[in-house]
Amino acid sequence: MNPAARSISSSIVVGSGTLAIRCAQLAIEMGHVIGAALCGDVIFAEWATRANIPSMESVDELCSFLKAEPVDWIFSVANPFILPPDVFGRARRGAFNYHEGPLPRYAGVHATSWALLAQETEYAITWHRIDDGVNTGDVVVQRQVLIAPTDTAISLNLKCHEAAIEGFRELLTGLESGKLTADPQALVDRSYFPRRRRPDAAGCLRWDRSAQDLSATTRALNFGPYHPNQMCLPKALLDDEVVTVRRLEVLPQRSGLPAGSLL
């Protein structure tokens, strides 16, 4: 029997939120045993408890666990932790990370917002091998996501989550069959967006820009009512006051008034 096609005995899921839960559930449905979960938030931790899966809160805990109980695979999904080689290197058969963007072009944080700010029309999600860098490992699965003119950060994130699940299914199927291919990234084309990077003018609408640019700024910074906005809020300067812009609609005709006029 081909050893690459044998049943997967044990996996660890590292991540947070409902996406980590859905991926863990899919892994279980496809015959994986989840040996433990490193939980980045209460949502994933509570699910792990209900599922009788040992959960931990720190990378050090996971490292100690792996020294005693090595596993075949590590899956990183919406993961707030940086996994050192001493952790991902202990996965006997490989470690994979989900990135909410097309690699290598949109590496880093808040990739969907940066794509909306750039007014992209096509996008993608990526599953890649974990290595010593940040989002630099070989790509194993990439799925296209189309961006609509009305998409916000929250709606594009939801599209990506659905693509992530199907991409994870493809990843698991490839691991089971032993036919998964890994392609090195063309790092010469890499763009990286660090966590502390902010849009121009700190998200303030600039009235010398087109309506489409202002719409893109507002939509890119709209994370919805249930997700914390850790990037920045879209805002307008009115005299000496700063006002948050919750919604912006581009009209089919000009108003005839100077840009920025308050009606």
Side-chain angles (χ1 to χ4, degrees):
M1 180 178 178
N2 181 356
R6 64 186 174 88
S7 298
I8 297 173
S9 60
S10 183
S11 303
I12 282 181
V13 178
V14 181
S16 60
T18 56
L19 184 59
I21 293 173
R22 292 181 65 186
C23 287
Q25 289 173 330
L26 179 58
I28 293 170
E29 290 170 9
M30 296 183 67
H32 293 236
V33 175
I34 307 298
L38 173 54
C39 304
D41 66 358
V42 174
I43 295 173
F44 190 35
E46 289 181 346
W47 174 85
T49 299
R50 293 194 300 271
N52 294 318
I53 294 173
S55 64
M56 47 205 75
E57 298 179 354
S58 72
V59 174
D60 288 341
E61 283 185 79
L62 177 58
C63 188
S64 298
F65 177 88
L66 289 171
K67 287 178 181 178
E69 299 184 45
V71 296
D72 288 323
W73 308 104
I74 293 176
F75 300 118
S76 165
V77 190
N79 172 23
F81 304 100
I82 298 295
L83 300 182
D86 194 41
V87 170
F88 68 76
R90 291 184 181 276
R92 287 185 292 235
R93 301 178 65 193
F96 300 90
N97 178 63
Y98 164 66
H99 179 65
E100 200 167 59
L103 294 177
R105 289 181 54 233
Y106 278 92
V109 183
H110 302 308
T112 50
S113 292
W114 292 113
L116 289 170
L117 284 165
Q119 301 184 47
E120 301 275 13
T121 57
E122 293 185 0
Y123 196 64
I125 60 92
T126 306
W127 286 91
H128 65 91
R129 289 189 179 276
I130 299 176
D131 62 9
D132 292 345
V134 179
N135 302 147
T136 56
D138 294 352
V139 172
V140 292
V141 174
Q142 200 160 68
R143 287 203 164 228
Q144 185 184 49
V145 178
L146 297 179
I147 300 179
T150 56
D151 268 332
T152 62
I154 180 64
S155 67
L156 183 54
N157 286 339
L158 291 173
K159 287 182 179 180
C160 289
H161 283 196
E162 293 306 314
I165 297 297
E166 293 309 309
F168 189 55
R169 187 187 302 276
E170 182 180 343
L171 169 60
L172 296 180
T173 300
L175 294 178
E176 184 178 354
S177 66
K179 297 180 179 179
L180 188 72
T181 59
D183 299 313
Q185 296 185 44
L187 296 180
V188 67
D189 299 324
R190 175 177 166 89
S191 295
Y192 180 77
F193 298 91
R195 184 176 298 277
R196 293 187 178 183
R197 181 169 173 176
R198 296 294 181 264
D200 292 344
C204 289
L205 302 184
R206 296 177 55 178
W207 306 120
D208 58 345
R209 300 290 180 87
S210 69
Q212 285 70 27
D213 286 349
L214 301 185
S215 173
T217 297
T218 304
R219 291 182 291 104
L221 301 177
N222 180 357
F223 289 81
Y226 306 110
H227 192 285
N229 182 338
Q230 297 177 340
M231 194 173 184
C232 73
L233 293 171
K235 53 190 85 74
L237 295 177
L238 301 178
D239 294 327
D240 294 330
E241 294 187 36
V242 177
V243 179
T244 302
V245 178
R246 299 294 182 186
R247 187 173 66 89
L248 185 150
E249 179 182 353
V250 179
L251 300 178
Q253 70 282 335
R254 293 179 178 273
S255 67
L257 299 171
S261 296
L262 183 62
L263 304 182

